[in-house]
Amino acid sequence: MPNSLKRSSVITSLLALLTLWPLAPATAAEAGLASPAAPVQAGPARLQTVGAEVVGVTQVADRLVDLSVRSEALGGRTVKVRLLTPDGWNPTDRRQHWPTFWLLHGCCGDYTSWSGTDIATIDSLRKVLVVMPEAGWNGWYSDWWNYGAGGDPAWETFHTVELRQLLERGWGAGSNRVVAGLSMGGQGSLLYAARHPGMFRAVASYSGSAHPLLNDESVRRIMGFFAGQGNDPLRVWGDPVAQRSIWAAHDPYYLAKRLRTLPVYLSCGDGTAGPFDPPGKTDALEADFNRQNHALANALHQVGARRLTTDFYGPGTHGWAYWQRELHDSLPMLLNALGLPS
């Protein structure tokens, strides 16, 4: 069947489901696909999970679907989640549960960031549901401390509880998952794999902040990111001295024991000009993250990790050409963990 007819069939099924099937309040999300780039109005039947609900769906391109998700963990705000869907994906078929690949964006990016790469053309990703969630310009994949009050934003709760349940109850996601990310998202992928044992079967981090407590330079750098867009940097994890236990709980280096049984992929450049850079370029951020990744790799070796793969490729800066290449290089490990060919 041509792809256009398949999409039309799915759209028809979703609309019929919304109209005819009375759904229990605690089932999955409102279903429906719009024409490309057109928002879907919320229908009378709304599928939801604890703390979150889908209030809109937009098909933005072939196999690319954006969900608008209202989240209690984010103070009732609505944020986007982009799905790169597998061949044969039909969220109205509750028997389908696809292997799921969470792909996390970095600081100063958003849920669309990975769409600028070639992921939609990778044949091996036609067999998995790729989840690219919004995580805030500088959300750091954390439930913010907020001076002990907690609350909005709680990105970790949104992703690992609300969104996970939502996708598995109504959008074809299975419980067989892997996770990868770049920069802030590299740290997020390591944190989620370590802090939620059993949730992910493998993890990859590309130029991730792998040990933010490495030294004063590393602390100052991440505090600078925390302060982005006029934010009070102490809201995120508190003071690095007074709230050191909170910082350590979000530092992959101190969570190495929780990662030792997982397949882990770490990659980073050294901050000097590489094959995708103009001659003479230097990058202090990548150099810092390079030191952090070496520290985490050493910690993993010390705790007996035997499924660690590193690609510390030397010359290279903090840029998309390297992250796209590293995604390709890490895919065999990630897909193998899902039981799929690469």
Side-chain angles (χ1 to χ4, degrees):
M1 181 184 296
N3 286 338
S4 60
L5 292 179
K6 289 181 180 179
R7 289 196 301 274
S8 177
S9 177
V10 170
I11 293 169
T12 301
S13 297
L14 286 168
L15 292 176
L17 174 67
L18 276 176
T19 305
L20 301 175
W21 188 9
L23 298 164
T27 56
E30 168 196 13
L33 290 177
S35 57
V40 174
Q41 298 298 319
R46 198 173 275 159
L47 295 165
Q48 66 182 27
T49 187
V50 176
E53 62 177 341
V54 172
V55 296
V57 186
T58 306
Q59 183 163 347
V60 295
D62 185 36
R63 297 177 56 225
L64 279 181
V65 176
D66 286 354
L67 307 181
S68 297
V69 181
R70 182 182 295 128
S71 163
E72 287 185 8
L74 302 178
R77 289 181 288 123
T78 297
V79 297
K80 294 290 187 69
V81 177
R82 177 157 290 182
L83 304 179
L84 177 63
T85 61
D87 291 339
W89 178 77
N90 181 356
T92 65
D93 184 351
R94 301 306 173 88
R95 298 167 298 178
Q96 284 186 334
H97 294 92
W98 295 91
T100 306
F101 178 19
W102 289 63
L103 193 54
L104 310 183
H105 71 76
C107 178
C108 322
D110 62 20
Y111 72 100
T112 68
S113 294
W114 278 102
S115 296
T117 70
D118 65 350
I119 58 169
T121 66
I122 300 174
D123 284 344
S124 58
L125 292 182
R126 303 185 78 93
K127 304 170 185 175
V128 301
L129 178 64
V130 182
V131 178
M132 296 170 280
E134 179 60 50
W137 190 88
N138 59 349
W140 292 92
Y141 297 91
S142 301
D143 290 357
W144 285 21
W145 180 60
N146 284 327
Y147 291 90
D152 181 29
W155 290 107
E156 183 174 7
T157 295
F158 170 59
H159 293 140
T160 64
V161 179
E162 291 181 344
L163 182 58
R164 176 182 61 80
Q165 293 180 4
L166 204 61
L167 295 174
E168 291 175 8
R169 294 183 184 184
W171 298 94
S175 59
N176 192 6
R177 317 175 200 89
V178 295
V179 61
L182 69 100
S183 194
M184 177 181 81
Q187 183 185 75
S189 66
L190 293 166
L191 289 179
Y192 285 0
R195 289 168 59 89
H196 300 272
M199 182 169 175
F200 296 103
R201 296 192 176 193
V203 54
S205 172
Y206 320 123
S207 301
S209 177
H211 186 11
L213 282 170
L214 174 65
N215 54 34
D216 289 345
E217 177 189 351
S218 299
V219 170
R220 287 194 299 270
R221 178 164 282 110
I222 200 169
M223 286 287 280
F225 284 118
F226 289 173
Q229 296 188 314
N231 181 57
D232 175 356
L234 297 182
R235 288 182 59 206
V236 185
W237 298 339
D239 181 88
V241 176
Q243 281 75 46
R244 186 177 177 86
S245 62
I246 298 175
W247 277 69
H250 293 87
D251 186 326
Y253 175 86
Y254 293 109
L255 303 175
K257 284 185 178 180
R258 300 188 185 185
L259 295 168
R260 65 183 173 185
T261 62
L262 285 177
V264 175
Y265 184 96
L266 301 177
S267 67
C268 201
D270 65 11
T272 62
F276 303 115
D277 301 304
K281 181 177 181 179
T282 60
D283 188 337
L285 173 62
E286 189 76 357
D288 179 21
F289 285 1
N290 186 55
R291 292 187 290 270
Q292 293 186 30
N293 275 272
H294 276 86
L296 175 57
N298 289 335
L300 286 167
H301 286 307
Q302 290 173 8
V303 299
R306 297 185 178 180
R307 307 174 75 183
L308 172 65
T309 301
T310 60
D311 186 10
F312 299 142
Y313 43 86
T317 58
H318 209 66
W320 276 101
Y322 297 101
W323 302 327
Q324 177 173 282
R325 183 188 69 186
E326 294 305 307
L327 170 64
H328 281 266
D329 288 349
S330 63
L331 270 180
M333 181 205 80
L334 294 166
L335 295 176
N336 181 67
L338 291 174
L340 298 171
S342 57

